């Protein structure tokens, strides 16, 4: 909705640039987080696997969030803050 409004005010190029920047950041983040995801899978026990298969539609996402959120945040904040 906001993008459409801004495009009506001839700001379409800025919206396109923002979308491109967000996509490039996401593409760069995938390899940076690979080892965190692999580590999370390796730490998975039988109960975690069962819950992922039999619980809610978001149980796998919840598992990865629980296992990787703090390490991901630390890694990405460090990477993009220049620390």
């Amino acid at each position: 909705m906001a993008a459409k409004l801004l495009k009506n005010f001839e700001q379409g190029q800025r919206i396109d640039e923002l979308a491109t920047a967000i996509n490039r950041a996401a593409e760069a983040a995938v390899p940076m987080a690979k080892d965190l995801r692999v580590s999370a899978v390796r730490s998975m026990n039988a109960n975690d696997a069962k819950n992922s298969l039999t619980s809610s539609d978001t149980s796998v996402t919840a598992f990865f969030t629980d296992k990787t959120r703090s390490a991901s945040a630390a890694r990405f904040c460090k990477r993009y803050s220049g620390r």
Side-chain angles (χ1 to χ4, degrees):
M1 171 147 280
K4 186 176 180 181
L5 179 63
L6 288 170
K7 286 183 180 188
N8 288 338
F9 288 104
E10 299 180 8
Q11 298 298 313
Q13 182 177 352
R14 289 184 179 199
I15 294 297
D16 293 341
E17 290 169 357
L18 176 61
T20 299
I22 290 170
N23 287 332
R24 287 188 180 145
E27 290 166 356
V30 170
M32 290 176 60
K34 180 182 177 183
D35 63 322
L36 296 175
R37 292 187 312 269
V38 169
S39 178
V41 170
R42 288 184 176 153
S43 75
M44 184 180 274
N45 60 38
N47 193 44
D48 293 330
K50 179 184 173 217
N51 287 339
S52 293
L53 294 172
T54 61
S55 295
S56 72
D57 290 343
T58 60
S59 58
V60 173
T61 300
F63 170 80
F64 280 105
T65 298
D66 181 54
K67 297 292 184 181
T68 65
R69 176 170 275 162
S70 61
S72 293
R75 180 173 293 180
F76 293 119
C77 287
K78 181 178 178 184
R79 164 85 162 100
Y80 292 105
S81 70
R83 292 182 201 161

